[in-house]
């Protein structure tokens, strides 16, 4: 992977990413109470990582995911119960999650279709479903192995109280975030528009086709 | 070789292995990996931004209240004035009773719930970021005299003195709280009545999104009723007796050998902006002697 050289990155990109990386996790952990529905909170950092990967390609998706993950783990440290029953502050779960989010966004329908709002929201939608499904299954198996109290896996309950509210919140926020990235994001929108065909080469494969 | 190193799958595999190793090593007992310095650095960078975001949200709330709640506030104000007058009358009535209580308290060595604790007020810096593992960060740390050591932790309550959780890590200017809803949390509790039977309240992943906890260890002859208030029992030594936790919303006695109940905590994380940390006061020599002798009656 060719490393990004700082002097080759436009000023706009540095400032935009810096602001996004500091403000979005800050808003998520500070105002989470304002953005809740049915017990779920909008996962702003996850949406941002997916959309950066989706719009700007693999390299930026990976780097953004890792940086956002570190910030997320530092601001809202995950706490894990060990096999000995003790609880410990963990580090890395957020990094892994948002790294996958960035990669997923970049690989989502790569080279098959043009990047647009609908597809961006679909990327967030599908990643949220995968994240929630994997999370609930992991928790279920963890409880099955280590917990003394066996909780039956109620799919309807998981869907109604976890997956559907999370999808709704993340998808709505994805629309807002997509527009922010498109018009106020790291890459100037007009320059892409003026350069004709270049608008079709989002990402780094350069193989996008119009729908 | 260069092609392999620059391939996407190579990058993905390397990152996953490195991060998974960090997670596993960090989770082991006595792990050499500590990220508190990194966390403190990031916190210092983001905290000013969080303050701006918080004050902007507060200003918006104030503006919203000023515009839309004017009539309601006037009515509330009138009711509060009436209530103040009534309370002042009751206060005068109770002053005499308070003096009598103090006399009796000294005579019988009655202890208040928080009489042996220093109470620190703290603001919530960040709350949960996901459904499963999240903790709460507050702006009170070792600089303020809090220090979590082996076997020592601090109880955290909300502004209404309801149980929120306990402190699991302290850094220079901030602390991390394990909330009551977290699956790793457990506290001994009882029904808020004289000689109430003891149970255990634990967080439960399947109930967390419903803002509820599991109650286990229930004896079939002492089952709590739906609607019963649950408070800390004081067993175990960390949590003082009598801190309100919540109310029982359902009891499952289908298996007499494993009776469980579901509890709805009083505290609500969505509205949590300020908390109080209860730090045990250092024991004086006299107290240590009486505690060792076991002669001090406790109410």
């Amino acid at each position: 992977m060719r490393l990004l050289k700082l002097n080759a990155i436009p000023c706009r990109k540095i400032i935009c990413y810096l602001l996004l990386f500091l403000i979005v996790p800050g808003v998520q952990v500070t105002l989470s109470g304002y953005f809740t529905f049915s017990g779920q909170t909008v996962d702003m950092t996850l949406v941002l990582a997916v959309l950066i990967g989706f719009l700007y390609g693999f390299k930026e998706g990976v780097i953004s995911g890792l940086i956002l993950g570190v910030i997320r783990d530092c601001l809202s440290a995950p706490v894990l119960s060990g096999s000995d029953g003790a609880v410990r502050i963990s580090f890395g779960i957020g990094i892994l999650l948002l790294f996958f989010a960035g990669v997923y966004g970049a690989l989502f329908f790569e080279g098959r279709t043009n990047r647009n709002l609908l597809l961006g929201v679909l990327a967030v939608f599908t990643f949220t479903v995968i994240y929630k499904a994997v999370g609930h299954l992991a928790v279920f198996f963890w409880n099955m192995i280590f917990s003394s109290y066996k909780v039956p896996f109620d799919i309807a309950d998981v869907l109604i109280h976890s997956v559907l509210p999370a999808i709704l919140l993340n998808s709505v926020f994805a629309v807002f975030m997509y527009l922010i990235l498109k018009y106020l994001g790291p890459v100037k929108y007009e320059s892409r528009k003026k350069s004709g065909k270049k608008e079709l080469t989002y990402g780094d494969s350069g193989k996008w086709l119009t729908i | 070789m260069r092609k392999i190193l620059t391939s996407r799958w190579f990058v993905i595999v390397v990152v996953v292995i490195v991060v998974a190793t960090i997670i596993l090593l960090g989770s082991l007992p006595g792990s050499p990996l500590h990220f508190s310095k990194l966390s403190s650095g990031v916190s210092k960078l983001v905290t000013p931004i969080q303050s701006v975001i918080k004050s902007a949200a507060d200003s918006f709330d104030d503006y919203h209240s000023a515009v839309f709640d004017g009539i309601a506030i006037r009515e509330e104000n009138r009711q509060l004035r009436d209530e103040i007058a009534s309370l002042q009358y009751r206060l005068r009535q109770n002053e005499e009773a308070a003096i009598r209580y103090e006399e009796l308290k000294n005579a019988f060595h009655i202890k208040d719930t928080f009489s042996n604790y220093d109470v620190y007020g703290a603001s919530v810096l960040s709350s949960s970021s996901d459904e499963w593992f999240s903790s709460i960060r507050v702006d009170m740390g070792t600089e303020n005299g809090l220090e979590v050591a082996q076997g020592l932790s601090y109880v955290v309550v909300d502004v209404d003195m309801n149980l929120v959780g306990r402190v699991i890590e302290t850094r220079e200017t901030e602390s991390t709280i394990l909330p009551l809803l977290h699956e790793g949390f457990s506290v001994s509790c009882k029904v808020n009545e004289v000689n109430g039977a003891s149970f255990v309240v634990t967080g439960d992943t399947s109930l967390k999104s419903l803002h509820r906890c599991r109650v286990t260890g229930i004896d079939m002859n002492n089952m709590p009723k739906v609607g019963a208030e649950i408070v800390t029992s004081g067993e175990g030594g960390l949590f003082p007796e009598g801190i309100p936790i919540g109310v029982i919303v359902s009891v499952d006695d289908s298996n007499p050998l494993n009776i469980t109940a579901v509890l709805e905590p009083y505290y609500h994380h969505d509205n949590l902006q300020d908390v109080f940390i209860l730090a045990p006061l250092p024991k004086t020599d006299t107290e240590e002697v009486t505690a060792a002798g076991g002669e001090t009656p406790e109410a």
Side-chain angles (χ1 to χ4, degrees):
Chain A
M1 188 174 73
R2 194 166 59 91
L3 290 174
L4 288 170
K5 286 176 188 168
L6 200 63
N7 59 3
I9 305 170
C11 230
R12 178 189 170 112
K13 201 172 237 186
I14 295 169
I15 293 167
C16 274
Y17 276 132
L18 200 64
L19 289 175
L20 284 169
F21 292 162
L22 291 177
I23 292 172
V24 173
V27 171
Q28 182 174 341
V29 295
T30 313
L31 304 179
S32 57
Y34 287 79
F35 307 103
T36 55
F37 174 64
S38 190
Q40 293 293 313
T41 308
V42 61
D43 203 331
M44 297 177 184
T45 47
L46 181 141
V47 172
L48 181 62
V50 172
L51 288 180
I52 287 175
F54 178 78
L55 286 174
Y56 307 118
F58 184 78
K59 266 185 285 193
E60 290 187 34
V62 164
I63 294 167
S64 305
L66 291 173
I67 295 171
L68 283 167
V70 170
I71 296 171
R72 181 187 171 113
D73 277 352
C74 289
L75 293 183
S76 184
V79 180
L80 293 180
S81 310
S83 53
D84 58 348
V87 285
R88 287 180 196 88
I89 292 181
S90 179
F91 192 84
I93 291 175
I95 301 174
L96 205 58
L97 168 70
L98 297 187
F99 166 73
F100 280 130
V103 170
Y104 182 83
L107 300 182
F108 189 75
F109 278 99
E110 188 191 30
R112 291 172 193 275
T113 180
N114 195 14
R115 293 330 211 186
N116 57 38
L117 174 65
L118 196 66
L119 211 62
V121 175
L122 192 66
V124 172
F125 180 101
T126 48
F127 189 77
T128 307
V129 173
I130 295 166
Y131 166 51
K132 287 289 170 186
V134 171
H136 279 289
L137 284 173
V139 167
F140 172 71
F141 285 117
W142 181 268
N143 282 342
M144 209 167 75
I145 297 164
F146 294 109
S147 174
S148 53
Y149 185 81
K150 308 295 177 211
V151 184
F153 192 71
D154 187 349
I155 293 177
D157 190 54
V158 167
L159 274 176
I160 294 166
H161 292 112
S162 176
V163 181
L164 293 177
I167 287 172
L168 184 75
L169 285 167
N170 286 357
S171 300
V172 169
F173 185 70
V175 175
F176 170 74
M177 204 68 239
Y178 184 94
L179 296 174
I180 293 276
L181 287 173
K182 186 168 180 179
Y183 295 107
L184 300 168
V187 179
K188 203 175 176 185
Y189 176 66
E190 280 181 359
S191 66
R192 294 200 305 256
K193 204 174 176 184
K194 278 177 188 169
S195 55
K197 268 190 170 180
K198 230 183 170 183
E199 195 183 12
L200 308 177
T201 59
Y202 285 111
D204 38 23
S205 74
K207 291 190 288 187
W208 311 127
L209 303 168
T210 42
I211 298 169
Chain B
M1 186 66 184
R2 186 179 162 80
K3 205 176 176 183
I4 294 171
L5 289 174
T6 54
S7 84
R8 290 174 172 191
W9 290 110
F10 180 76
V11 173
I12 292 169
V13 169
V14 167
V15 171
V16 169
I17 290 170
V18 170
V19 178
T21 310
I22 290 171
I23 296 170
L24 283 174
L25 285 178
S27 308
L28 292 173
S31 164
L33 294 179
H34 294 288
F35 299 98
S36 52
K37 279 188 181 167
L38 177 67
S39 296
S40 295
V42 172
S43 297
K44 275 178 190 161
L45 205 64
V46 180
T47 302
I49 293 165
Q50 280 187 277
S51 304
V52 172
I53 293 164
K54 209 171 182 182
S55 50
D58 289 344
S59 305
F60 176 77
D61 274 350
D62 292 345
Y63 177 74
H64 184 270
S65 301
V67 172
F68 295 102
D69 299 345
I71 297 164
I73 286 170
R74 273 203 296 275
E75 176 59 23
E76 195 182 345
N77 198 21
R78 191 188 61 74
Q79 285 176 358
L80 286 172
R81 275 203 300 269
D82 291 347
E83 203 177 323
I84 286 168
S86 158
L87 287 171
Q88 274 176 342
Y89 172 74
R90 280 173 58 192
L91 183 69
R92 284 197 194 99
Q93 299 274 313
N94 288 338
E95 271 171 2
E96 180 64 21
I99 294 165
R100 303 288 300 163
Y101 171 74
E102 282 299 321
E103 286 170 5
L104 287 169
K105 190 179 152 188
N106 292 333
F108 288 100
H109 304 284
I110 295 170
K111 284 185 179 175
D112 293 330
T113 305
F114 306 133
S115 62
N116 289 332
Y117 291 84
D118 261 339
V119 182
Y120 295 93
S123 291
V124 173
L125 290 173
S126 66
S127 48
S128 56
S129 66
D130 68 28
E131 191 176 342
W132 293 294
F133 317 109
S134 286
S135 52
I136 300 169
R137 250 172 74 241
V138 295
D139 65 345
M140 187 71 61
T142 48
E143 277 183 358
N144 307 95
L146 300 177
E147 184 76 62
V148 173
Q150 191 69 31
L152 175 70
S153 184
Y154 301 105
V155 183
V156 183
V157 293
D158 67 4
V159 288
D160 297 318
M161 292 295 143
N162 300 314
L163 187 66
V164 172
R166 67 181 170 91
V167 177
I168 52 168
E169 192 188 74
T170 45
R171 291 196 288 272
E172 251 178 54
T173 55
E174 58 187 56
S175 301
T176 306
I177 296 168
L178 182 73
L180 176 59
L181 294 175
H182 193 282
E183 56 276 11
F185 188 94
S186 80
V187 56
S188 178
C189 63
K190 62 172 191 172
V191 177
N192 193 14
E193 58 189 32
V194 180
N195 297 327
S198 288
F199 324 113
V200 177
V201 169
T202 53
D204 189 309
T205 42
S206 60
L207 296 170
K208 200 174 179 182
S209 60
L210 302 171
H211 188 70
R212 285 173 183 180
C213 304
R214 179 88 51 200
V215 183
T216 54
I218 299 172
D219 184 70
M220 64 182 299
N221 300 316
N222 271 312
M223 284 201 291
K225 290 181 182 137
V226 172
E229 186 186 49
I230 301 296
V231 298
T232 52
S233 67
E235 290 170 16
L238 174 62
F239 297 89
E241 185 182 352
I243 300 176
I245 303 175
V247 288
I248 297 287
V249 288
S250 68
V251 179
D252 177 13
D253 57 354
S254 54
N255 179 2
L257 296 174
N258 188 18
I259 300 168
T260 61
V262 174
L263 174 136
E264 182 163 12
Y266 285 133
Y267 103 88
H268 212 286
H269 55 263
D270 290 348
N271 308 324
L272 202 65
Q273 292 188 336
D274 299 293
V275 292
F276 292 107
I277 298 172
L278 309 181
L281 289 170
K283 283 185 179 174
T284 59
D285 293 344
T286 338
E287 274 178 331
E288 274 169 7
V289 168
T290 48
E295 288 176 3
T296 309
E298 287 193 18

